[in-house]
Amino acid sequence: MRGNDTFTESLFSVRKLEDFVPSAHPLRSIRVMANDALAKMDRLFARMYEADVKGGRPSIAPEKLLRAMLLQVLFSIRSERQLMEQVQYNLLFRWFIGLAMDDVVWVPTVFTKNRERLIKHDAVIEFFNEVVKIAGKKELLSGEHFSVDGTLIHAWAGHKSFVRKDSDDQNNEGGDDKGDFKGSKRSNETHQSKTDPEARLYRKGKTASELRYMGHTLSDNRHGLIVNARVTCADGHAEREAAKVMLNDARQAIDDDRVEITVGADKGYDAQEFIEACQEMKVTPHVAQNTSGRRSAVADTIAASVGYAISQQKRKLIEQGFGWVKTVGRMRQVTVRGLKRVDQMFVLNMAAYNLVRLRSLGQVRL
């Protein structure tokens, strides 16, 4: 017998949001790990709001804000406005964030303003560090063998915004009155983007010159998990300088200087000053030798070792993180402006990547 095309809604419902989420859904394990990391940040959250006037209107809970930002990364959502739209009707999103069915969804502009507080207090960096600690407790990190690399990030600014620094005419966009910059000589010393002043015109290899930032990561060789991440202005020395900072942090995390630390890297890091800096930090540089018309700064005795060959094989795992954040995380071209905001989004993306990897590694171990 054919059923009737009717819709009868119950006056009351006794089902919880938990009931609508499948028991084997990937977000379940990710939410558990994210909540463990957020629970360790309670003191930081308290300091973030201690200066607020008592009795004022409550802001968005930072835990819910960070979980919402994670969703934006995990599901490749373009903007806060689109995120809030989906939270309005998506029960899975409401459950992950911690919003009940009757809770009012935040206004996108309020969401964006509250996110600035996280930047001011480095809350995203702290969240990333707590996720790394979870990986350490699960014994998924070697803590001794690393790889380092960098990647280019397109800034949210176009060529026509790149104008002379000493120009008073805001309509003169790098060339004539029509904004025709072709044939004109431009450099970061004389020009600056009106849209994003901290972006730098940069090219690498056979790529075209674009306004860019540069993202850097330090990965653990055991499973390719990211243990350090940061964004700098793009230039020819940024990769090596950021690598030295991240390796110094890794060395300081190990109290015993007798523990050997190794770092794998591509030929771009084969520079005398970088190799010497690694040796001063007691880090063995397993850097790919660059012998194209020059002599490599990496000693042949290091290049002939078994560990060197393993590091060169393992260092390719770091590319998986870059590929994930540029496709899923939409970091190929950022939609925020300013070094601090780009750095926040990059670190958050790497934290999300680690959570996905931890979930997958947990499944494999089972």
Side-chain angles (χ1 to χ4, degrees), residues 159-361:
H159 273 291
K160 290 186 178 181
S161 71
F162 199 60
V163 300
R164 293 192 63 86
K165 294 179 181 180
D166 56 357
S167 176
D168 295 330
D169 185 6
Q170 295 299 315
N171 295 321
N172 186 4
E173 298 175 334
D176 55 22
D177 293 337
K178 297 181 181 179
D180 184 9
F181 53 83
K182 294 182 179 180
S184 61
K185 187 176 181 180
R186 302 182 303 164
S187 69
N188 292 312
E189 287 72 25
T190 58
H191 290 65
Q192 187 180 52
S193 172
K194 295 187 299 180
T195 308
D196 189 351
E198 293 181 287
R200 296 291 180 268
L201 192 66
Y202 185 75
R203 69 184 298 268
K204 183 178 180 181
K206 296 181 180 180
T207 62
S209 294
E210 300 284 351
L211 287 167
R212 290 165 166 158
Y213 288 96
M214 188 169 284
H216 314 271
T217 57
L218 184 73
S219 68
D220 187 273
N221 283 355
R222 179 168 293 176
H223 293 292
L225 292 166
I226 307 301
V227 296
N228 204 326
R230 63 190 62 232
V231 170
T232 64
C233 293
D235 63 56
H237 304 282
E239 286 186 288
R240 294 195 293 269
E241 293 302 319
K244 287 187 282 186
V245 174
M246 293 187 292
L247 286 170
N248 185 57
D249 292 343
R251 167 51 76 186
Q252 290 182 353
I254 302 176
D255 297 331
D256 192 353
D257 291 340
R258 295 172 296 179
V259 176
E260 181 186 10
I261 292 182
T262 65
V263 58
D266 59 31
K267 294 181 180 180
Y269 293 84
D270 187 2
Q272 189 66 38
E273 54 88 16
F274 178 73
I275 302 302
E276 291 176 354
C278 288
Q279 292 170 343
E280 290 178 3
M281 291 184 287
K282 298 183 179 179
V283 176
T284 304
H286 288 173
V287 178
Q289 289 184 311
N290 185 5
T291 57
S292 301
R294 62 188 291 273
R295 182 176 180 180
S296 173
V298 181
D300 292 336
T301 54
I302 295 177
S305 64
V306 177
Y308 179 88
I310 297 174
S311 292
Q312 284 300 303
Q313 182 182 11
K314 286 286 188 177
R315 72 175 177 85
K316 298 175 184 178
L317 289 173
I318 201 170
E319 298 292 345
Q320 295 180 8
F322 291 147
W324 191 90
V325 301
K326 286 190 174 184
T327 53
V328 179
R330 304 180 65 84
M331 283 296 298
R332 189 177 301 278
Q333 182 175 31
V334 291
T335 55
V336 293
R337 297 187 177 106
L339 181 61
K340 289 186 177 180
R341 293 187 181 91
V342 175
D343 180 70
Q344 182 197 48
M345 293 308 302
F346 186 74
V347 174
L348 180 66
N349 270 263
M350 287 302 174
Y353 171 74
N354 279 344
L355 288 171
V356 173
R357 285 284 294 154
L358 287 171
R359 187 260 174 189
S360 300
L361 292 170

Side-chain angles (χ1 to χ4, degrees), residues 72-127:
Q72 188 173 359
V73 173
L74 293 170
F75 287 87
S76 307
I77 300 174
R78 296 192 302 271
S79 64
E80 287 82 5
R81 186 173 298 279
Q82 189 180 63
L83 174 64
M84 294 301 100
E85 178 184 340
Q86 294 205 28
V87 172
Q88 180 68 39
Y89 56 77
N90 194 319
L91 297 182
L92 176 67
F93 283 16
R94 281 181 173 267
W95 166 81
F96 187 88
I97 295 172
L99 292 175
M101 289 186 183
D102 297 329
D103 288 344
V104 178
V105 178
W106 314 307
V107 177
T109 54
V110 175
F111 178 88
T112 305
K113 289 180 180 178
N114 276 269
R115 191 179 59 186
E116 294 297 315
R117 195 191 297 259
L118 298 180
I119 298 177
K120 181 179 179 181
H121 294 271
D122 293 330
V124 172
I125 296 174
E126 184 66 22
F127 178 73

